Amino acid sequence: QKEVEQDPGPLSVPEGAIVSLNCTYSNSAFQYFMWYRQYSRKGPELLMYTYSSGNKEDGRFTAQVDKSSKYISLFIRDSQPSDSATYLCAMTGPTDKLIFGTGTRLQVFP
Amino acid sequence: EAGVAQSPRYKIIEKRQSVAFWCNPISGHATLYWYQQILGQGPKLLIQFQNNGVVDDSQLPKDRFSAERLKGVDSTLKIQPAKLEDSAVYLCASSLDRSPADTQYFGPGTRLTVL
């Protein structure tokens, strides 16, 4: 079993839709949870960062962490074609060693 | 603020040849990472430097991969000899320090194709 599981998609939605992206994990030592966005032929860029459980909102993006279920989510409201990218969840525990999911490819069509 | 720079952006070699990648991190960042990203997968850490010392190289195939960070700034990653399964994007990242709360900033990567 992988430490971090993520559905690779692809996920195709119309512009304006609410998108839900998810990851599950097995290591209960993970405390820091990130979402990275990766455009084609670019490096990942940090989108959202959450420590421990709870919600965090930034504009159209909301990150949720449920440590009891070992489940994290990223919601994108009013999705735009410019949101089309691969979304990678990543997490780490007491150290700074990031463990990434496989990434979910999202396509938002006009 | 300039981002993480990497070169070359693309490289095509034949198996058993050698190749080297270069990374220049964000100025002032003490921690530098090399990741391997195989198509359809997330990045996997190969090696981590703190200044010019190695912190973690547990997933680096040391029989063929080597890396150095001279003077605690630029870094090079070398593969010798390359295998077909080394075809991947090699990403360099840097962060201020080793805290899990420090953001890792990624470069654009070097796409390696081994024929």
Side-chain angles (χ1 to χ4, degrees), chain A residues 2 8 32 34 36 38 40-46 49 88 92-103, chain B residues 9-10 31 33 35 37 40-43 45 48 56 58-59 91 97-101 103-104 106-108 111:
Chain A
K2 289 183 180 178
Y32 298 84
M34 297 93 169
Y36 280 82
Q38 186 173 24
S40 181
R41 300 190 183 274
K42 302 282 188 184
E45 59 175 335
L46 184 65
Y49 157 76
L88 296 152
T92 186
T95 71
D96 59 337
K97 182 174 180 176
L98 284 181
I99 307 298
F100 283 87
T102 55
Chain B
R9 291 296 313 276
Y10 305 92
T31 312
Y33 313 81
Y35 289 87
Q37 187 175 23
Q41 298 183 22
L45 179 69
Q48 177 184 350
D56 184 347
S58 58
Q59 297 192 90
L91 294 162
D97 211 320
R98 288 184 58 197
S99 166
T103 300
Q104 293 188 26
F106 285 80
R111 184 175 297 269

Side-chain angles (χ1 to χ4, degrees), chain B residues 6-115:
Chain B
Q6 290 189 247
S7 68
R9 291 296 313 276
Y10 305 92
K11 191 74 178 178
I12 300 174
I13 62 172
E14 296 190 348
K15 60 183 179 184
R16 291 188 289 274
Q17 286 187 323
S18 61
V19 65
F21 313 127
W22 173 82
C23 172
N24 181 237
I26 293 173
S27 177
H29 280 194
T31 312
L32 184 147
Y33 313 81
W34 282 103
Y35 289 87
Q36 179 192 59
Q37 187 175 23
I38 292 172
L39 185 65
Q41 298 183 22
K44 182 185 83 171
L45 179 69
L46 291 176
I47 188 167
Q48 177 184 350
F49 292 94
Q50 178 71 7
N51 296 309
N52 60 353
V54 176
V55 173
D56 184 347
D57 63 357
S58 58
Q59 297 192 90
L60 187 74
K62 298 180 188 63
D63 57 335
R64 297 184 301 107
F65 286 64
S66 64
E68 60 182 6
R69 189 182 185 197
L70 297 175
K71 300 180 182 178
V73 181
D74 294 5
S75 178
T76 55
L77 176 69
K78 296 179 182 176
I79 308 175
Q80 182 179 12
K83 292 185 175 181
L84 296 177
E85 59 260 36
D86 298 332
S87 294
V89 175
Y90 291 85
L91 294 162
C92 179
S94 70
S95 65
L96 263 177
D97 211 320
R98 288 184 58 197
S99 166
D102 286 333
T103 300
Q104 293 188 26
Y105 295 89
F106 285 80
T110 296
R111 184 175 297 269
L112 174 68
T113 302
V114 182
L115 303 176

Side-chain angles (χ1 to χ4, degrees), chain A residues 27-103:
Chain A
N27 190 342
S28 56
F30 288 147
Q31 300 170 29
Y32 298 84
F33 304 91
M34 297 93 169
W35 286 95
Y36 280 82
R37 179 175 60 194
Q38 186 173 24
Y39 290 113
S40 181
R41 300 190 183 274
K42 302 282 188 184
E45 59 175 335
L46 184 65
L47 198 58
M48 298 285 285
Y49 157 76
T50 309
Y51 172 69
S52 193
S53 282
N55 292 1
K56 187 173 185 178
E57 189 173 321
D58 184 1
R60 296 184 295 111
F61 300 90
T62 300
Q64 286 185 351
V65 174
D66 182 348
K67 290 191 73 178
S68 61
S69 303
K70 297 191 179 68
Y71 189 88
I72 70 170
S73 301
L74 177 70
F75 297 96
I76 307 174
R77 290 184 299 280
D78 187 25
S79 56
Q80 302 295 310
S82 58
D83 295 328
S84 298
T86 295
Y87 290 80
L88 296 152
C89 64
M91 47 200 79
T92 186
T95 71
D96 59 337
K97 182 174 180 176
L98 284 181
I99 307 298
F100 283 87
T102 55

